[in-house]
Structure formats: C-alpha cells, structure tokens
Amino acid sequence: MNKLQQALYQNFGFHTFKKGQEKIIQSVLNGKDTIAMLPTGGGKSLCYQLPGYLLDGMVLIISPLLSLMEDQVQQLKALGEKRAAALNSMLSRNERNAILENIGRYKFLYLSPEALQSDYVLDRLKRVPISLFVIDEAHCISEWGHDFRPDYSKLGQLRKTLGHPPVLALTATATKNTLLDVMNLLDLQHADRHLYSVNRPNIALKVENAADTAEKIHRTVQLVEQLQGPGIVYCPTRKWAEELSAEIKAKTNSRSDFYHGGMESGDRILIQQQFINHQLDVICSTNAFGMGVDKADIRYVIHFHQPQTAEAFMQEIGRAGRDGKPSISILLRAPGDIELQQQIIQMEYLADHEISSILSILTATEERDEKKLRELLISHGVSETQARTIIHLFLSGKTSIELMTQELSHRMELKLDKMYHLSALLEQKSCLRESLLSYFSEAYKPDHTQNQCCSRCGIDLTAYEQKGEGNKMERFDNWRSELNRIFGLQSEGELC
C-alpha cells in the first residue's frame, strides 16, 4: 500500500481509488493546475478532499448550488471533519460573520461564485494560505456549457487576487469547445488534463414514445410501481414535480415527494436527507436534485420530458447506479415536449421594452454590488437567471439596448441549438449510447460484461423490476412523529 492509498484508507475508509482519481490527486499534489472530467458518480469530490489532508492551507471550493455545498459539508462532518463550512445565503448574518472572523480555522470552505464577488469575503480570504482553488461544475464557466453562470467567468481574475493558488477544475460533462473555453478563461494553458469517458455502462438507456402527456403520466406511475427503487423522476418545471409526486402518492404504495428551487431551503434539505436515509422511495424533481447527493443505490431515473441538452441528459442519467450495479434510465417522449422546452428557453429572453425598463432601474441607482443589484431586479419581477445575466452584461460595459439584445439573443440561440441537437440525436436509429458518446467526441467501445445497452440494442425491462414485496417503511408524516419514532417518545408533550 503506497502513501496515497494509506491516506485514502485513513481518512475515508476506502482501500482502492476509482478510475482516474489517483492520477488527478497526484497532479494536484505536484502543484499542477489540473482539469479533470470524471463521469457523474466518478468520485470528483475525493480529488480535492484527499489532497486537502496532505497539503498545508485551506481548500477553497467554488460550487454552484446550495444543496450541493450543504451535502458535501455534511459528508465531511460525518467523517469527523469539523473544519468544513459552506458560506451561503442559508446562514444568518451572525453565522456568516463567525465563519469569516475565524476563517483560519477551516480546511475546507465552500462558497458560490457570487459570494466571492464580495470585497469583504475576498479581504478575509486573503488572510489565509489557500493550497487549492477548486472549481466544481467547471462547465458553468463557458458560454458553450449547458449551465453558464456569468459569475463563473470572473474566477480567473479572482484567483489572481487570492495569490494565484493551483486550480483544480472539475466537471462530469463537457464538450471539446467547453473545455477549451474553461482553459482560456482560467488561463490554464499548461494544465494537466485528465479526461475520462462520460459513459456509464452499468446504466441501461431506454427511450419510450407516448401518444400524449396523459399517457406519459400513466406510464410514469406504472414504472414507479414496477421498478426496483429508489428512483428519481426528473421534471421540466416545478409545477410538474409537484403534480407528478401527488399522482404517485395517490396511485402507488411508493413514498414520494418533490424537490425544486422554489422550496424553502430547510424543506429541501429535509427531503434530501429523507431520500438518502431510505425514508422516501422516489423524488420528483427539477434537474437540480442529485448533484453531489451521496446516494449510490439509485436504481432508476425517469426523464419525464426530454432535457434541454445532451450534457444535462447525461448528468441526469449518471445519478443512477453510482454503486456500479445494474440500473436504468428511461426517457419518456411525447408530441409537444420540444415546444415546452423551447418555451422555457425563450422565457429567459427579454423584449426591448423589458430591457429598457431594467436599464432604467440599474442606471437610477449608484449601487454596484452584484448581490444587491440582483435583489433589486428580482423585487421588480425579473427572474433570478435573467437578473444574473443582465447585471453581468451591465457591469461589463454592455449598457445599451442593442448590445444587450444581441447578447441575450446569442445565448438563446446557443441553448436552442443544443436542444435541437439532442432531439436529432434521439431520432437516430443507431445505438443510443453510441450516439450520446459521439456528442462528446467519444468512440463507443462496447462493454461485453454488460448485458443491456439501450432500447435500440434491446432491453429486458423485467431485469429492473421489483422482486417480491419491497421493504416499505411507514410513511413520514411530520417531524414530530418522526422524532417520536427515532427516540421512542410516547406523546407530543414529551417533545417540549
């Protein structure tokens, strides 16, 4: 057992690395800027967590989602690591100040790219040595990426402000154009690159066509009842997540709930923990759920609508079967699906008169703090996604209606092109896995140890169905009854 394997076992209890992890970690320990692409479930977080124990100084992790940050912090704390924190909007002012005032105590600090725009946060970070600057979901840097975040594009300059620490840029799904953009924007021209296949051969891929939406609803309920869980049903909107969960509750014995960004953060964390701890059988969710969730035994993923991009589709697929056991992804398609996704994309676009009104708001204030500007626009009915993009353009000097219209139109066309590309890919008659991998410039190498590939190559769905009676626990009704169950209390009065 070499030194790295010893550290792996001592800190995480694992005897062996997953594919690619050891090479990526060695690159980081050698002080090299590193770009790594590992498939969903490939163990990206270990690639900075293990070096964190072997390097002096703080590991700073930039992450796009609150739920992702919280989950990673909870995983570290479960391993006994007390020097981990997430600096985000879920904290009270006192909690936030306590972290910043004692910032030298932390080994792992997670924060959003937006939080890093704060001069105060930057000032505190400058006071501690940063051994590694980690950018999770690095595809968010690139306009070619499927989830572009304007604040990610500033990370290259912010890294220099923090003393130019080594970078580890991580992603699960990125095309060649996206990776080149990441390298250029972060100035990583001499970085080590460790790029591994996005293919997950243990996950069978199935596409089913339905006559209409009603048939898709019926089929979703049927699949949830038949398939061995736990599972995730991905939905295009918050409303669909709620309605499908209610339908599953009403028509099956499965314990179902919904998850989306419109919920209170505490409710989202509760749902996530219930799912992780086997108190829920299926989650109906928008695509945010599942990123970083430490649940290896998800047996199926149902895509209720076609995702917007091949990258998003591959990420949703990859939430299943992280334990390497046979799992399945089922995409349900019906007439009108493309039009719905098209409308969702076009809703982010703003007409000239809307841009004019927003510019009037921005020019009428001397405020230039991005968070406060975002809150200002949201209070005027602008969506968070629109606000982020508009403020990014405004502060970068694109302050005319013409320039903003041109930029927003360009971004909308990029998204529509990706959506149409995936739709065309799904219409092909060849192997679905081969078609998906070709999008990422990968040649498909059939894995003959896996018996099931995709619906075009032939799938026996019975292999993924429940065998006998499932071990269903009692439904979770509310926090009081759950505490009663856990602690053996007899009455609500005993909780006071």
Side-chain angles (χ1 to χ4, degrees):
M1 184 181 290
N2 62 33
K3 183 179 177 181
L4 270 186
Q5 289 172 328
Q6 287 177 344
L8 176 68
Y9 181 72
Q10 289 171 0
N11 292 287
F12 298 94
F14 301 136
H15 291 281
T16 58
F17 289 100
K18 290 184 178 181
K19 185 177 181 179
Q21 285 180 326
E22 189 168 7
K23 289 182 178 179
I24 295 166
I25 290 168
Q26 193 61 64
S27 175
V28 169
L29 293 176
N30 289 339
K32 297 277 192 177
D33 289 335
T34 307
I35 296 177
M37 186 168 79
L38 285 172
T40 303
K44 293 185 290 297
S45 59
L46 185 79
C47 295
Y48 61 81
Q49 289 173 354
L50 182 57
Y53 289 111
L54 302 175
L55 295 170
D56 294 328
M58 175 193 287
V59 177
L60 184 65
I61 307 105
I62 310 303
S63 181
L65 289 174
L66 294 180
S67 59
L68 182 56
M69 287 188 243
E70 290 297 325
D71 190 65
Q72 295 293 338
V73 170
Q74 291 306 315
Q75 286 180 42
L76 283 167
K77 288 183 175 179
L79 292 168
E81 178 53 71
K82 298 179 180 179
R83 300 167 298 167
L87 198 63
N88 57 44
S89 59
M90 290 178 61
L91 301 176
S92 68
R93 177 176 291 183
N94 287 341
E95 290 171 327
R96 181 184 178 87
N97 288 340
I99 291 173
L100 290 171
E101 288 170 9
N102 298 282
I103 200 162
R105 297 181 182 178
Y106 293 96
K107 169 60 74 172
F108 301 98
L109 184 64
Y110 293 79
L111 70 166
S112 69
E114 291 80 18
L116 201 55
Q117 312 303 318
S118 164
D119 290 337
Y120 180 64
V121 172
L122 276 174
D123 180 64
R124 304 304 294 190
L125 286 170
K126 288 177 187 176
R127 303 183 186 191
V128 297
I130 297 173
S131 60
L132 185 61
F133 188 69
V134 181
I135 302 170
D136 202 6
E137 308 297 333
H139 56 267
C140 296
I141 292 172
S142 169
E143 69 173 339
W144 297 98
H146 61 287
D147 191 21
F148 172 67
R149 292 274 289 266
D151 289 290
Y152 262 74
S153 63
K154 303 170 187 174
L155 293 179
Q157 183 58 46
L158 289 169
R159 174 206 181 190
K160 294 177 183 177
T161 303
L162 294 172
H164 218 272
V167 166
L168 172 60
L170 295 163
T171 185
T173 49
T175 62
K176 284 184 176 180
N177 282 338
T178 300
L179 288 170
L180 286 171
D181 224 13
V182 170
M183 290 174 62
N184 290 332
L185 288 168
L186 292 175
D187 192 22
L188 302 179
Q189 304 310 313
H190 303 292
D192 282 356
R193 299 203 300 170
H194 299 273
L195 310 178
Y196 294 88
S197 173
V198 299
N199 187 28
R200 295 285 301 284
N202 64 305
I203 305 173
L205 309 177
K206 187 168 173 43
V207 177
E208 294 189 12
N209 294 310
D212 52 30
T213 300
E215 186 176 316
K216 280 207 302 182
I217 295 172
H218 173 76
R219 182 57 175 154
T220 299
V221 171
Q222 187 180 52
L223 287 168
V224 169
E225 184 72 2
Q226 292 176 348
L227 294 174
Q228 177 66 44
I232 302 175
V233 179
Y234 280 114
C235 309
T237 66
R238 297 171 179 180
K239 185 171 183 289
W240 268 118
E242 294 182 14
E243 291 185 358
L244 276 176
S245 177
E247 193 79 6
I248 290 167
K249 281 182 179 178
K251 295 183 178 179
T252 76
N253 293 320
S254 295
R255 298 160 300 163
S256 173
D257 218 321
F258 59 86
Y259 180 105
H260 57 65
M263 300 167 63
E264 292 291 332
S265 57
D267 292 335
R268 292 201 305 271
I269 290 174
L270 175 62
I271 296 298
Q272 180 172 304
Q273 290 305 312
Q274 287 177 309
F275 189 57
I276 289 171
N277 291 299
H278 316 294
Q279 294 171 333
L280 291 171
D281 303 304
V282 58
I283 295 287
C284 296
S285 170
T286 52
N287 62 8
F289 184 79
M291 296 181 72
V293 171
D294 188 21
K295 190 166 181 64
D297 64 344
I298 296 171
R299 296 275 69 89
Y300 69 84
V301 169
I302 297 170
H303 318 266
F304 187 70
H305 278 70
Q306 175 187 312
Q308 285 187 7
T309 68
E311 293 100 323
F313 187 31
M314 191 63 82
Q315 281 199 339
E316 290 180 10
I317 290 168
R319 308 277 160 72
R322 291 173 60 176
D323 55 8
K325 295 180 181 179
S327 307
I328 190 165
S329 154
I330 302 174
L331 170 61
L332 303 177
R333 303 181 77 205
D337 285 0
I338 298 299
E339 288 75 13
L340 175 65
Q341 290 289 20
Q342 184 174 303
Q343 288 173 8
I344 292 172
I345 292 171
Q346 291 173 337
M347 281 173 64
E348 295 178 15
Y349 185 75
L350 293 165
D352 284 0
H353 71 277
E354 293 173 311
I355 294 174
S356 178
S357 297
I358 291 171
L359 283 175
S360 297
I361 295 169
L362 293 174
T363 53
T365 178
E366 295 182 0
E367 181 63 66
R368 288 299 177 263
D369 179 84
E370 293 195 31
K371 182 180 179 182
K372 292 178 180 178
L373 286 175
R374 192 163 65 246
E375 291 171 350
L376 176 65
L377 292 187
I378 290 172
S379 72
H380 282 79
V382 180
S383 75
E384 184 170 348
T385 300
Q386 290 170 335
R388 288 183 193 279
T389 304
I390 286 288
I391 292 166
H392 170 66
L393 296 174
F394 181 77
L395 295 179
S396 62
K398 296 178 180 178
T399 56
S400 71
I401 294 175
E402 292 76 18
L403 286 173
M404 282 201 175
T405 299
Q406 185 180 47
E407 188 70 24
L408 291 172
S409 177
H410 170 65
R411 297 194 188 287
M412 184 180 70
E413 291 302 321
L414 279 176
K415 288 190 173 185
L416 288 172
D417 283 348
K418 282 179 172 288
M419 184 194 71
Y420 295 137
H421 195 144
L422 175 59
S423 184
L425 183 153
L426 292 170
E427 294 292 342
Q428 294 177 14
K429 302 302 180 185
S430 57
C431 169
L432 176 58
R433 192 180 304 272
E434 183 177 12
S435 298
L436 273 172
L437 292 178
S438 69
Y439 177 87
F440 295 96
S441 304
E442 279 193 43
Y444 177 43
K445 299 175 182 178
D447 185 345
H448 299 294
T449 65
Q450 302 292 333
N451 296 324
Q452 309 229 53
C453 175
C454 70
S455 48
R456 292 173 192 159
C457 298
I459 282 182
D460 177 11
L461 194 59
T462 60
Y464 304 95
E465 293 178 354
Q466 294 186 39
K467 308 297 188 292
E469 287 293 323
N471 295 321
K472 307 277 188 188
M473 291 170 56
E474 291 181 11
R475 289 180 180 272
F476 178 88
D477 295 317
N478 58 54
W479 65 268
R480 289 185 183 276
S481 62
E482 180 62 6
L483 285 178
N484 287 341
R485 186 187 70 78
I486 293 172
F487 296 109
L489 301 177
Q490 299 302 311
S491 68
E492 290 187 1
E494 294 181 57
L495 292 175
C496 299

